Amino acid sequence: MLLNACARAGDAVTAQRWLRQANTLFARNPIAPNEVCYQACMTACVQANDFASCRKLFHEALEKGIPLTVIGYNIVVSAAAKQGDWQTAMAVVKQMQAPNSTTPAPDAVTYGTLLAACEAAGQWLQVLEQAQAMKNEGFDLDVRALSSCLHACQQLGRAEQALQLLEQMEALPATDTQVPDAVAYRLALSACARGGKLAEGLRLLEKLETHFPHEEANVVAYTAAIAGCESEGQWKVAFRLVDRMRKRGVQPNEMTFVAVLAACATACARQASTLASKTSTDVSAPKDITSSEPYQQAMKLLRVLKKDTTVVNPNIHVYNAALRVCAEACDLKGAFALYNELIEDRDSSANIPEGTVTLAPNIVTFGTLMTACERVGSMEGVTQVFRWMQDLSGPPIKPNEIVYGAALSACRRAQNDERSFFLFEQMLQNPKLRPNVATYNTVLLAQTEAGTKTSTARALSVFRSLYNSPYTQPNRQSYQIIIRALALDRRPLEALTLLQQMQQAGFRPDVDLYTCTVAAFEKTGQPAQALKLMEAMRADGYDFYSNGVLDAAFKQGVQIVSSVQRGLETKKMPKSLDAGLGAPRSFNETIAQWIAPSME
């Protein structure tokens, strides 16, 4: 009773003192604290926000062999959740979930508390995983648990799962409050937007407009619906939604117009790609579509916003979205002009309220500008963007992986292999930057497409850097790029070594890699090696001789091999590729040997 009173009052100090003195308080009938005493004292500690003492009492009870009930475990999970320590909460629940454990099994309260802890910490995958565990244990998800799962789906863009959770909410017994509420619908709507389910999102918006008070279909809901237009490039739908929300008295904000501009940008990108595929054999060739309707409407919208700031005063997010429209429309000149306008507006603005998003360019600004350079392959543009970053007043902004990645792609489009290699080396000198395999492959392509001895040597150097990277490893495309380059450079022995390495890395070489390597052996006067490799292909599962295309491609090579073989000493054919030329002792040393002669 005394400890329960302390628990209700949140008096952790008194509760712990009485717990320690239980044996002496009643001399005639000494009391040994049991699980009820410990759990009451732990509750007092949680109420007093003394989470460390709560955990200490929990471990003390376990060490003494006191069998805490599920209530005791829930108390310590709750303490961890209130402290924002989702890892401790998860560890306790995992202990309870362990098979053949002497600890009590988690109950609905345990799971509900854990879900809340993971949600507060942004551990979205854990929210969904533990909700599934809760269902597997036979517990129904209540409104709070379903709301946590909806929030997780919204953050992860899991549209289908969000719609299923919403249906589960709608099937719950009726209560005094409406379930699902407007918040649940907005979360599901946002999940649909992020998950590419525009039609489903628009249906949810209609439900919000129809079944809830006017204020619940608010700017957040409409902005989420408009954001769903981005993935499909539905810019007309985006503009119609803006008109619709205004008619209902809902005023759009900056993020609303960012979403509209993003839909225009996607539409421009799709139109540029379609135009390129129809008018050029090179689908990557830049196509200026500044006369297209989505581009024109996006620029018109920005001019209107700048002219009438009572609607929305464009911030850096709006400018960045407009810059992306220019980039996807292959309008580098327009992007640069817009950046200069941004700097002028920034310098002319004054007395900005505290907490307002300013017009200061950020890393997204320069990443988008560099993307505009990449779309048209402008080396002058790349240089200009780097210069702007260097000369920017205020806190310095250093190029990140996205900026470098776009710059390297621009170099490749411009067929400037030297600049590509220089920028890549510059990127590697920054220990904070971690280029991914796509960045490495872009540089590899830039070097191998140049087709010179020097560029091939640089490609080998880049591949060696990728091979030794602690953050990423060569993928299938990496091997394909370098093997084809070596074969075209009539270096079949090196190509064969990399074919072996590719297999050891778990990638099965495509038949065209064998094809170009065999052709390289034949062109360099090594028909015997060509035949060995062809036999190895068959041993590794490639039916070379029944393939009409390959047979036609290598008929001449096979004839030469056969004639030469008749005059050669008969040798046992390898059973597989690994039984051909031996793999080097050190892969890095071998690549280094290949690079040196080519760089001379």
Side-chain angles (χ1 to χ4, degrees), residues 496-554:
L496 180 58
T497 301
L498 282 171
L499 276 169
Q500 293 171 319
Q501 184 65 33
M502 184 178 184
Q503 284 187 324
Q504 293 171 10
F507 301 110
R508 189 169 187 259
D510 296 330
V511 71
D512 67 308
L513 294 182
Y514 284 108
T515 301
C516 63
T517 305
V518 170
F521 273 124
E522 189 274 322
K523 291 176 182 178
T524 54
Q526 303 179 72
Q529 296 291 357
L531 186 58
K532 286 182 180 181
L533 182 53
M534 289 157 59
E535 289 294 328
M537 290 170 60
R538 186 169 61 175
D540 288 340
Y542 293 99
D543 192 2
F544 174 83
Y545 295 106
S546 66
N547 188 310
V549 176
L550 288 176
D551 182 66
F554 293 114

Side-chain angles (χ1 to χ4, degrees), residues 465-502:
S465 174
L466 171 59
Y467 183 79
N468 291 324
S469 172
Y471 309 114
T472 188
Q473 283 294 294
N475 61 10
R476 177 178 293 277
Q477 185 187 17
S478 311
Y479 282 106
Q480 290 173 335
I481 294 168
I482 196 68
I483 290 171
R484 287 196 187 98
L486 289 169
L488 290 173
D489 198 33
R490 300 193 176 190
R491 299 166 70 172
L493 292 176
E494 291 98 322
L496 180 58
T497 301
L498 282 171
L499 276 169
Q500 293 171 319
Q501 184 65 33
M502 184 178 184

